[in-house]
Amino acid sequence: DFSLMLLATGALAACASEPAAAPMRDLTFDPDRFVPKVFTVDGRRIAVRAYEGLPVVARPVEPACQAINVYIPEAYFRGEAVGRYTARTAPIFLPNQVGGYMPALPGRPDERMGPPPAPGTSAPPSAMAVALARGFVVASPGARGRTLRAADGRWTGKAPAAIVDLKAAVRWLRHNAGRLPGDTERIVSNGTSAGGALSALLGASGNSADFEAELQAIGAAPARDDIFAVSAYCPITNLEHADAAYEWQFQGLAEYRSIAISMLDFKVERKEVAGRLDADQLALSRELQAAFIAYVNGLGLHDGAGRLLQLDASGRGSLRDHVSALLAASAQRALDRGDDLSGRPWLSIESGRVQGVDFTAYAAAAGRMKALPAFDGLALETGENQLFGDARTDQRHFTAFSVRHGRAAGAARADALTVRQMNAMHYASDPSARAAPHWRLRHGTMDRDTSLAIPALLAAALRERGLDVDLALPWDRPHSGDYDLDELFGWIERLM
Ligand code: DHB
């Protein structure tokens, strides 16, 4: 199944950095500078005005990435309604195209994330095209990423650049609210994997003062950056606890089929390398698992029914029961629609009802995918190490554990503010940030890119704030997103 698990970011032809002393960009939206385009969705033709490559900040460092593509149904310029919306009420769909924390160009409705269609089949419409057909205004921001480098050798896309750029895009939309169809109080963010993490982070960290200095430096528009709703598929977030969560989920499993995520042609390619944790690594795994147990018990979060989420010294307890219940609910939905769930030794089923989940057997069946630690590599070898570099350093650690056990001579560690700025989980419980009121989180049951505890704890932290959270683990889905667009847009429309 690994060949299918390819998340392509939009082909990034050029993300050339800015020459010194370039003129300030005008952030005023001009409704008359558009290209007419027609997209076909389910046989219906949708006429839109396309505004592509608009700068979202006055002083971009990487202009191609710090830009936005805006698509607006033509009907709104004739005073007509599309479905339930008008130019004044249309929600704004804000999908980012980030994969692998790589740089991303603004997206286009005729590009799709994810694997190419099977031979002889046509690709289903993109989330952007479906949004337009349903009368949304679509605004797809680009974002800087971990591999960008200026001509003088300085790295220009390290953390927190990507989230700063997405916030700048939201500020740009609000700055232009009177000039642009669409309701800037109804912005709905969407993203997958690293893009899902950024979508969640955008939704959790609205107006946080932590980002003000970076936003000022690039000349972001003076406006709020909180949003209305978040859709996030398999968010690779909470990176500083994700290593520990991974060892908790896969405790004692020595075999792994590691995926090397490379970045040829700015596509995130996934190559499988089989391996085995040795005795020393298994000891480190136990150390990380213990750290996760302490972390969870310190959070004091609850499940949807108000039960405290805890773990005992063996890694069992109410958090594990909660994640198992999410797996059981997913299996039940699959059974109810007629899927054959035989050959799943971790599930007990009687008369068409799921009776129980053996979490250890589930983890063994799903299989460990990453080596140890999963995110903060001891030799600084992961994409996340590269994300947490700085202007002068390509790769750094971001956890105390990997600093302590690291093997790269002279390795540095990212500062605490930068690590926090990338973590949706942090802002989910920071009352000084304005969190989006509505959340839809999806993480497939066959997704091993991060532990299922990561979305479960994020959902719990958001619920603790009194926010509206819909978390589910779609049955047998691998690491991917945008696979249930009818449900996604149905969910958004029920919020309006
Ligand atoms: C992505 C996947 C990962 O496993 C990861 O660690 C970071 C990003 C991605 O597909 O975006």
Side-chain angles (χ1 to χ4, degrees):
D1 59 343
F2 292 104
S3 60
L4 287 176
M5 287 196 279
L6 179 134
L7 281 176
T9 60
L12 194 58
C15 225
S17 35
E18 182 73 350
M24 298 256 285
R25 304 301 204 276
D26 182 0
L27 302 185
T28 309
F29 176 74
D30 178 356
D32 295 328
R33 294 188 55 175
F34 65 91
V35 176
K37 292 198 173 176
V38 176
F39 299 103
T40 304
V41 178
D42 298 331
R44 259 178 63 214
R45 289 162 59 81
I46 323 290
V48 306
R49 293 188 178 185
Y51 304 85
E52 293 176 331
L54 308 182
V56 294
V57 295
R59 290 182 294 277
V61 186
E62 300 282 353
C65 293
Q66 295 173 286
I68 196 164
N69 288 350
V70 180
Y71 302 90
I72 304 173
E74 178 64 42
Y76 291 146
F77 296 94
R78 296 192 301 263
E80 293 169 10
V82 180
R84 324 158 32 165
Y85 309 117
T86 65
R88 204 173 48 77
T89 64
I92 301 176
F93 185 58
L94 189 85
N96 75 69
Q97 312 298 307
V98 175
Y101 287 107
M102 298 289 287
L105 290 176
R108 305 159 67 115
D110 47 7
E111 290 169 353
R112 257 188 103 258
M113 301 274 288
T121 66
S122 60
S126 69
M128 292 173 72
V130 170
L132 287 168
R134 291 183 178 238
F136 288 59
V137 167
V138 171
S140 181
R144 286 169 291 167
R146 59 183 164 88
T147 53
L148 291 175
R149 198 168 196 184
D152 67 1
R154 292 168 66 92
W155 299 98
T156 54
K158 302 302 186 185
I163 183 60
V164 171
D165 291 346
L166 297 186
K167 285 175 169 291
V170 173
R171 290 182 174 207
W172 180 89
L173 284 166
R174 276 220 177 77
H175 177 67
N176 284 297
R179 291 178 280 267
L180 186 86
D183 182 355
T184 50
E185 296 311 305
R186 292 288 181 272
I187 296 175
V188 183
S189 171
N190 183 53
T192 296
S193 193
L198 289 165
S199 182
L201 180 56
L202 184 66
S205 66
N207 310 328
S208 167
D210 283 356
F211 302 88
E212 208 48 54
E214 278 107 352
L215 285 160
Q216 298 277 335
I218 57 177
R224 288 164 33 225
D225 58 53
D226 59 284
I227 60 172
F228 177 67
V230 170
S231 160
Y233 293 93
C234 46
I236 302 289
T237 191
N238 204 356
L239 293 169
E240 65 265 41
H241 299 107
D243 292 330
Y246 209 77
E247 299 317 311
W248 165 77
Q249 176 158 324
F250 294 107
Q251 57 179 280
L253 263 186
E255 308 287 340
Y256 64 87
R257 294 186 299 164
S258 163
I259 303 294
I261 298 179
S262 67
M263 48 223 170
L264 294 169
D265 301 316
F266 294 97
K267 291 207 162 60
V268 181
E269 280 189 20
R270 305 161 73 82
K271 260 191 235 126
E272 185 182 323
V273 188
R276 215 187 138 70
L277 302 184
D278 62 24
D280 290 347
Q281 289 175 308
L282 285 169
L284 294 181
S285 174
R286 283 190 293 276
E287 187 178 333
L288 279 168
Q289 192 200 162
F292 184 68
I293 293 165
Y295 168 63
V296 169
N297 293 341
L299 286 173
L301 296 173
H302 301 81
D303 70 10
R307 259 184 309 267
L308 188 62
L309 294 172
Q310 298 274 276
L311 292 173
D312 68 19
S314 73
R316 294 183 182 76
S318 53
L319 174 66
R320 205 171 82 143
D321 297 342
H322 174 55
V323 174
S324 297
L326 290 166
L327 287 165
S330 174
Q332 189 64 55
R333 283 189 300 274
L335 279 176
D336 293 347
R337 62 167 191 250
D339 289 14
D340 174 10
L341 302 198
S342 56
R344 312 279 178 150
W346 54 274
L347 265 182
S348 51
I349 301 172
E350 277 166 40
S351 324
R353 307 298 307 168
V354 175
Q355 305 294 321
V357 163
D358 176 340
F359 189 72
T360 304
Y362 157 76
R368 180 181 181 113
M369 191 194 87
K370 292 187 171 178
L372 174 139
F375 296 90
D376 191 354
L378 299 184
L380 296 177
E381 71 274 28
T382 72
E384 284 77 11
N385 291 129
Q386 199 182 32
L387 169 68
F388 284 111
D390 66 9
R392 304 242 166 250
T393 320
D394 190 17
Q395 294 137 320
R396 294 190 296 181
H397 286 302
F398 50 94
T399 64
F401 178 90
S402 290
V403 169
R404 203 158 60 239
H405 296 283
R407 291 191 305 261
R413 178 179 178 181
D415 58 284
L417 172 62
T418 304
V419 176
R420 173 171 99 208
Q421 282 177 303
M422 296 308 291
N423 191 352
M425 187 73 186
H426 170 79
Y427 295 99
S429 48
D430 175 356
S432 78
R434 178 159 168 185
H438 303 288
W439 292 75
R440 184 175 191 271
L441 305 174
R442 293 292 182 270
H443 186 111
T445 62
M446 276 306 292
D447 189 334
R448 297 85 31 83
D449 277 54
T450 196
S451 166
L452 300 181
I454 296 298
L457 290 175
L458 176 61
L462 295 164
R463 255 191 253 108
E464 208 84 15
R465 288 270 300 268
L467 306 172
D468 164 32
V469 186
D470 176 340
L471 166 65
L473 310 179
W475 183 250
D476 262 5
R477 286 283 173 192
H479 188 63
S480 53
D482 290 1
Y483 40 68
D484 55 353
L485 296 177
D486 278 352
E487 289 97 328
L488 170 61
F489 286 104
W491 174 78
I492 297 171
E493 285 170 0
R494 286 193 297 280
L495 304 176
M496 299 296 154

